[in-house]
Amino acid sequence: MILGLDVGGTHTDTALISPGGVARVVKTPTTSDLMQTLTFALSRTLETIPLVNLERMVFSTTLATNAVVQDQLRDVGMMVFAGPGLDPAAFSVGPSYHVIPGVVDHRGVEVVPPDEKAVERARLEITSKGIDHLGIVGKFSVRHPKHELLVHSWVRDHFKYISLGHTVSGALNFPRRIQTTYLNAAISDIHVRFVEALRATLDCLGLTAPSFLLKPEGGAVLMERTLDHPAHTAQSGPAASVVGAMALCGANHTALVLDIGGTTTDMALLLDGRPLMNPNGIQLGPYKTLIPSLCTKSIGAGGDSQVRIDENGALKVGPNRLGPPAAMGGPAPTPTDAFIVLESMAAGKPHLACEAMKSLARPLCSDPRSIAEAVIQRTACHIAEKAREFIEEINSQPVYTIHEVIQGRYVQPEKIIVIGGPAPNFAPYLERALGLPTIVPRYYKAANAVGAACARVTSELTLHADTALGVVLIPEEDFQQGIPPTFTIEEARALALDKLRERALREGADPEGLKTRITEEGAYNMVRGFHKVGKNIRLKAQVTPGLYRRYSF
């Protein structure tokens, strides 16, 4: 059996999957004590289940995202090396940002060595502020990480945690690499505390099956492997919803996925059953990163969103959630209260929901049932408006799926997959608001936890080979070796796939059926004068996100 757990702002959802399908789903209110919530949720889910039958566990967390949103990041010092072109001072981030002399060019050739005295001056200034976390980034470090590694060797004894730019991604994008490296160091303590507490909780409950964390691109990675790159597991909740919709509804739909929670609604698109990818990297708060992610959007409208009347006498839904619905003792009317008044949902104390609707109806000279109907229609219309904007945003740029770039195709969903606690209540209203048929799958209440459980272990790496310099590099692996002038793209492919397989297995991939593939490649002749002097080869290899195939639905 496999276990999935997704921590949301309102509920923590768990799902237990057996070889024959979903065996159990449980929703648990999320409290301010995360470990207490996890213990309660896991105990309820695994009650009467022999623990020896548990094969794997996958968790998703929004702790890092919450820390970004609430500005609770740790101070990080930055040492950045320039290259030709962009001025690194333009991308300053954090309380102690230093541009260090030293240049590696676009081929990975050292042009100016790093200035050790400048590094020491920057180190003294950073540590004098009490900062013990550091990020080191060179503009072309993925073509040669020499400067980052050298500076790391000079300063490592003075810092508790150091994040190196060439290890966060093999892609070129200097501004995003700076921000990703900074973020990686800034959330490292939060992530370490989460992993240690989760591990203690699992040990206390006697749960020893391999533990994974979900990533925002819809894949999973062994929990212990995330300690070096904590930013890569941030914002995984929406990805869990998309994978859950794929698992529960089959793999051929071109559909809009709407996961309606208590606080937010997460949306995504499936194109012929394949989720769309964000090609540049996820944005967390103000930070534009190189972290791969599915293309999702979250809006502040859910079953527990505050409903109010604005100064123009119009109903407004969200974006705030002030607490539980009025029927459950909350301070404000919500869409959930409206469903209770309309008798399409049984929860809490109906007379409190009715009083909440009366408070909205009175200024509008209406009655509780009429205003409840209006609240639901307004919520559905709001979600529909944002969904149309999301679809237009997607179609205003090249469309990337997890497998390829789709050129010249307008993504028009044919149906809506609605999941989340109030999914069956909202579905008919969304059907009218968007003019599309809806699907509410079985286990809709915890589809995100199903998605977490079913996520396949994924991995990716990049390879750069320069036959003129006689070197091949895989920056994510800190791998470098000499190559002869005759090194070919076929040899590069084989090397990249071998290294990817090793990396995927270390990150917890199931060797049975592990599929690796080259997703991007290019080979360019280098000419000096009128003579070819070598070849530059660039590859990206990947284990693609998808469903863990040992289980069926």
Side-chain angles (χ1 to χ4, degrees):
M1 305 185 91
I2 55 178
L3 172 80
L5 184 148
D6 180 75
V7 182
T10 307
H11 287 99
T12 292
D13 299 330
T14 47
L16 196 60
I17 316 291
S18 72
V22 179
R24 182 178 295 173
V25 296
V26 174
K27 291 186 82 72
T28 302
T30 300
T31 69
S32 57
D33 187 335
L34 181 61
M35 292 306 111
Q36 185 183 58
T37 299
L38 290 172
T39 301
F40 190 54
L42 290 169
S43 299
R44 288 179 64 202
T45 307
L46 297 171
E47 197 173 33
T48 72
I49 300 293
L51 300 184
V52 291
N53 292 342
L54 206 55
E55 178 185 337
R56 70 195 294 253
M57 304 178 286
V58 187
F59 304 90
S60 71
T61 171
T62 56
L63 273 181
T65 307
N66 294 343
V68 173
V69 172
Q70 297 168 25
D71 195 22
Q72 295 178 343
L73 298 178
R74 190 178 187 90
D75 285 343
V76 175
M78 293 295 293
M79 296 186 189
V80 178
F81 299 90
L86 297 173
D87 178 5
F91 311 114
S92 177
V93 60
S96 193
Y97 184 88
H98 303 268
V99 178
I100 307 294
V103 175
V104 168
D105 73 9
H106 65 285
R107 286 183 60 198
V109 177
E110 183 180 66
V111 179
V112 179
D115 183 335
E116 188 169 3
K117 291 182 179 177
V119 169
E120 179 60 10
R121 285 195 297 273
R123 196 276 297 173
L124 288 171
E125 189 172 332
I126 293 169
T127 54
S128 69
K129 296 178 179 177
I131 297 172
D132 59 4
H133 283 46
L134 178 68
I136 305 173
V137 183
K139 182 174 181 181
F140 289 110
S141 60
V142 291
R143 298 289 166 80
H144 201 317
K146 176 181 179 180
H147 287 186
E148 290 184 4
L149 294 171
L150 185 59
V151 173
H152 178 268
S153 70
W154 289 341
V155 303
R156 63 188 172 198
D157 292 337
H158 300 279
F159 293 93
K160 178 181 173 186
Y161 182 91
I162 299 177
S163 178
L164 299 179
H166 73 278
T167 65
V168 300
S169 170
L172 284 176
N173 190 314
F174 190 33
R176 282 181 178 265
R177 182 175 308 284
I178 291 171
Q179 299 208 3
T180 310
T181 305
Y182 174 83
L183 196 61
N184 208 48
I187 65 173
S188 62
D189 284 4
I190 295 169
H191 187 74
V192 168
R193 285 198 299 272
F194 169 74
V195 169
E196 289 177 347
L198 180 55
R199 175 54 61 203
T201 302
L202 297 177
D203 289 347
C204 187
L205 294 172
L207 299 173
T208 58
S211 304
F212 299 82
L213 292 184
L214 197 66
K215 298 186 287 187
E217 40 83 300
V221 59
L222 266 180
M223 188 162 69
E224 278 70 20
R225 294 282 299 174
T226 66
L227 294 175
D228 289 336
H229 299 103
H232 283 247
T233 58
Q235 189 66 1
S236 56
S241 302
V242 180
V243 181
M246 292 167 58
L248 294 172
C249 297
N252 298 315
H253 300 291
T254 293
L256 172 68
V257 179
L258 295 175
D259 184 355
I260 306 176
T263 309
T264 61
T265 292
D266 298 329
M267 52 186 70
L269 282 171
L270 298 179
L271 176 61
D272 300 332
R274 297 166 294 177
L276 302 187
M277 294 289 293
N278 185 335
N280 298 317
I282 196 170
Q283 179 164 348
L284 292 171
Y287 306 104
K288 293 181 179 179
T289 76
L290 286 169
I291 300 166
S293 72
L294 299 184
C295 193
T296 61
K297 182 174 184 176
S298 299
I299 63 169
D304 296 353
S305 293
Q306 176 196 17
V307 181
R308 60 187 175 83
I309 299 172
D310 70 8
E311 59 277 8
N312 298 316
L315 284 171
K316 291 291 180 185
V317 180
N320 298 321
R321 176 184 183 267
L322 301 183
M328 299 162 196
T334 68
T336 298
D337 293 312
F339 283 126
I340 293 171
V341 168
L342 293 173
E343 300 175 350
S344 62
M345 184 184 290
K349 297 177 179 177
H351 74 279
L352 293 178
C354 190
E355 287 300 319
M357 288 301 109
K358 282 181 180 177
S359 69
L360 294 172
R362 206 171 293 119
L364 300 177
C365 300
S366 184
D367 61 86
R369 284 192 67 87
S370 297
I371 206 71
E373 184 71 24
V375 165
I376 302 305
Q377 289 182 16
R378 179 64 215 135
T379 308
C381 287
H382 178 57
I383 294 172
E385 289 165 10
K386 295 299 180 185
R388 290 192 188 95
E389 291 176 10
F390 176 60
I391 294 168
E392 287 305 312
E393 287 172 17
I394 294 293
N395 284 300
S396 67
Q397 54 199 340
V399 174
Y400 291 75
T401 71
I402 57 175
H403 295 295
E404 58 199 336
V405 184
I406 307 294
Q407 297 287 358
R409 179 170 173 184
Y410 189 89
V411 181
Q412 179 57 54
E414 300 160 350
K415 54 193 71 177
I416 315 167
I417 299 173
V418 192
I419 55 180
N425 307 91
F426 270 115
Y429 293 89
L430 292 166
E431 198 163 292
R432 286 195 291 274
L434 281 161
L436 294 170
T438 55
I439 299 173
V440 179
R442 195 178 178 193
Y443 309 112
Y444 61 88
K445 289 184 178 179
N448 46 0
V450 173
C454 297
R456 175 195 301 163
V457 169
T458 58
S459 191
E460 70 172 15
L461 54 75
T462 49
L463 177 149
H464 305 283
D466 188 322
T467 61
L469 295 176
V471 64
V472 59
L473 289 162
I474 300 177
E476 297 94 335
E477 289 286 283
D478 261 339
F479 173 84
Q480 176 180 343
Q481 76 175 23
I483 54 174
T486 55
F487 189 73
T488 65
I489 194 166
E490 289 78 15
E491 291 173 295
R493 288 187 197 123
L495 177 62
L497 293 176
D498 282 348
K499 290 296 178 184
L500 177 63
R501 182 176 177 82
E502 293 173 9
R503 181 182 176 89
L505 292 176
R506 286 200 309 273
E507 293 180 343
D510 183 354
E512 184 181 333
L514 175 60
K515 293 181 180 177
T516 57
R517 58 196 289 265
I518 301 294
T519 54
E520 294 177 23
E521 71 175 33
Y524 312 93
N525 290 329
M526 292 179 288
V527 176
R528 187 173 300 144
F530 296 97
H531 302 285
K532 175 182 167 185
V533 295
K535 188 165 287 196
N536 193 310
I537 300 171
R538 303 169 190 171
L539 299 177
K540 178 177 284 188
Q542 186 182 59
V543 178
T544 311
L547 301 177
Y548 188 63
R549 291 295 181 186
R550 284 195 180 188
Y551 289 76
S552 59
F553 292 86

